[in-house]
Every structure is written in C-alpha cells, then in structure tokens.
Amino acid sequence: MKFIIISAVYNMADELKANIEILKQQDYTNFEVYFGDDLSTDNSCQVIEENIKDDKRFHLIKHQNKLFSMGNICTCIKAANPEDEDVIVLVDGDDKLSSTDVLSYLKEVYTKQQCLMTYGSYQSNGIKDKNCKGYPKFVARFNLFRYFKWRASHLKTFKYKLWNKINRGDLTITKAEYNKTIRRALLRGKIKTWLNFKKVKYEDIVTCCHAYVRRCDDKTFTLPMLEMAGERSIYIERVLYDYARQGAHDFGNSDKKWAQRFIRCSAFSKPKYSKVNFDK
C-alpha cells in the first residue's frame, strides 16, 4: 500500500520543519509527500527545500497562480498521479502527524477494515478535541450525512479511486448556486443569514478561474466521499493528528465568518451522492 501525503502551504515557515521531521521518521516508508506552496510571502519554500533535499520521496510544487486551499490540494493530487488503490493523506503544512507509526497504523486499518476512507481524532496542545466522534451506523446506512452534525475531522485519508469519483463541478460554486444559496436562506426564514449572505461577494469565495471554492474544502469534497463510501468510511478513535492553528484565508472584501458559512451551506445543498460499489 502506498500513501500520498498532500500538504497545502501558505506562510507556514515556522511550523513546516516539525511537519517534515515526523514524516521522515515514519516507520512505514512506502509514501510520497507533495507540498503545494500557494504563493507564500515568507520563507516557507526555503524551509521545505532545505529539509527535503536529501529525500526523493518529498516534492515541492510552487504554484504560479493563487489557488487557495481547495485548488492547492486538487493540483497536488493531480501532480502526484496516484493509482486507484493509493491512499491520499491530508496534512496541512502547519500541522503534523502525531507519532512515527501513523502510516503503519493506517495500513493496518485499511487492510483489516477494507475501507475506502477514514476520518478521526486530532489534538491541539496535547488535548484531544471533544468533538472527535464517529457517525452513528444509521447515518451511513441511510445516507444521512447531509442532515447530521459534521464529524469527519482530521486525520482525513481516502483511496484515490474514491476521490476520482467526485464531480469536479462540486468543488466550486456556480453563479446560479450562489444565487440559490441566498434565496434558500430567505425561504427558510433565516433573515439574519440572508442579509449577511447578500453581502458576500461571489468573487470573494471562489478562485479567479471559478474552478474551486476558497475554503471549507473538508466539507466540499469529504461529504461526497462519505456518501459514496457509506459503511466503508471508518472513524479512527486514536489521535493521529496534531492540529496547530487555523490558517489565514483571504475572502477579499467579504466578512470571513459569513463567507465560510456561505461556502458550507452551498456544499450541503448540492445533490446527494449515491453509494458506490467498487467490487462489481
């Protein structure tokens, strides 16, 4: 089993060395790492280059255009050219894996559970987040992920063949979906939300080419994969991820809080995915 580790980077120079060190110390060695730098203005690229130069498993991609987190992740996965059974592991540049046996533990989980994806438990400053829980069985059985409180948190991993089934149009928001999200808030009687959504500018929540949303990438692409994987989406209780801080996000002239909520609401209102049977 091969792991493809994707690490989105923007101005994370102070945290990157620790991220790279724990990756190099993994006792399971069949992996590659792709750092995608999203036009950092600090010395993030220099830190990466200095710490990966002796290990051919590590790669640095310097983006030429601003992609934000969603576009950064997608572009790096494409550059990695994974095979269907490869497992993608998402580790933000300012975060890190929690121990040296994370990948070997994941290999055991995928082998024994025959799962398509995992989500799990993370800690911050050594304390496990209290919201780290698995979905009840009935949620996966009846495909109710869009109607249940969000639980698919770090560490997120998934088979490439599952990722490849996502409709790329669901990784962005069209102008029609933008207008629909505003109308939905009004029709639901959420006047405060409607008033604030009207202030969120379309160009502030998607990339300049309109191919990706700027943030909420976890829900944008994890939600479809949860629905497609169903019972083969596995919650891991053991802490595998150290969460450092929330990265900065540029929403132009739009309010950050409401821009994030807008993207999230739009993602949840998209058409539901059906369970996929890869055994056929």
Side-chain angles (χ1 to χ4, degrees), residues 62-230:
K62 299 179 181 179
H63 302 308
Q64 300 304 307
N65 300 302
K66 190 69 176 176
L67 296 175
F68 298 91
S69 55
M70 183 78 259
N72 195 342
I73 290 170
C74 291
T75 303
C76 286
I77 292 177
K78 183 177 181 180
N81 193 26
E83 297 184 359
D84 280 352
E85 293 298 324
D86 290 346
V87 176
I88 311 297
V89 181
L90 300 183
V91 183
D92 288 344
D94 53 348
D95 299 332
K96 63 181 180 178
L97 300 181
S98 62
S99 63
T100 58
D101 65 339
V102 168
L103 296 184
S104 57
Y105 184 81
L106 283 171
K107 180 181 183 298
E108 183 179 350
V109 171
Y110 271 91
T111 302
K112 288 184 176 180
Q113 302 280 1
Q114 290 297 296
C115 56
L116 293 170
M117 64 179 294
T118 71
Y119 59 97
S121 306
Y122 66 91
Q123 62 186 9
S124 183
N125 296 320
I127 301 174
K128 179 180 177 179
D129 191 276
K130 62 181 180 181
N131 294 314
C132 293
K133 299 175 183 177
Y135 286 99
K137 291 183 179 180
F138 74 85
V139 173
R141 182 179 178 184
F142 297 106
N143 201 354
L144 300 175
F145 294 104
R146 290 178 193 262
Y147 314 105
F148 205 83
K149 184 178 179 181
W150 187 254
R151 291 187 176 182
S153 194
H154 303 296
L155 176 68
K156 303 182 203 304
T157 79
F158 45 88
K159 291 278 186 80
Y160 175 70
K161 63 183 179 183
L162 189 64
W163 164 269
N164 210 28
K165 289 282 187 181
I166 300 175
N167 181 343
R168 292 302 177 261
D170 286 336
L171 302 181
T172 187
I173 299 173
T174 66
K175 199 63 183 288
E177 289 171 331
Y178 166 81
N179 291 325
K180 180 181 177 182
T181 300
I182 295 174
R183 288 197 304 270
R184 250 174 119 244
L186 178 61
L187 292 173
R188 289 186 166 190
K190 297 183 177 181
I191 304 303
K192 180 180 179 181
T193 298
W194 173 65
L195 290 171
N196 282 285
F197 276 5
K198 286 178 65 180
K199 297 176 184 178
V200 176
K201 296 181 179 180
Y202 180 67
E203 60 270 22
D204 288 342
I205 57 175
V206 296
T207 55
C208 61
C209 61
H210 300 173
Y212 308 105
V213 293
R214 291 194 178 191
R215 194 179 181 270
C216 285
D217 47 87
D218 57 345
K219 297 173 180 65
T220 303
F221 64 67
T222 306
L223 188 54
M225 289 196 291
L226 283 168
E227 293 173 333
M228 289 189 287

Side-chain angles (χ1 to χ4, degrees), residues 229-256:
E231 292 90 341
R232 295 180 71 182
S233 59
I234 301 298
Y235 166 67
I236 297 178
E237 186 172 358
R238 175 184 162 182
V239 172
L240 300 179
Y241 195 89
D242 282 0
Y243 181 79
R245 61 178 174 83
Q246 185 174 346
H249 294 278
D250 180 10
F251 290 107
N253 294 318
S254 298
D255 180 79
K256 177 181 177 180

Side-chain angles (χ1 to χ4, degrees), residues 29-51:
T29 58
N30 188 14
F31 68 86
E32 287 188 57
V33 183
Y34 289 81
F35 290 99
D37 182 74
D38 198 34
L39 304 183
S40 289
T41 57
D42 66 358
N43 64 327
S44 290
C45 286
Q46 181 182 347
V47 172
I48 295 170
E49 289 170 335
E50 288 177 352
N51 286 277

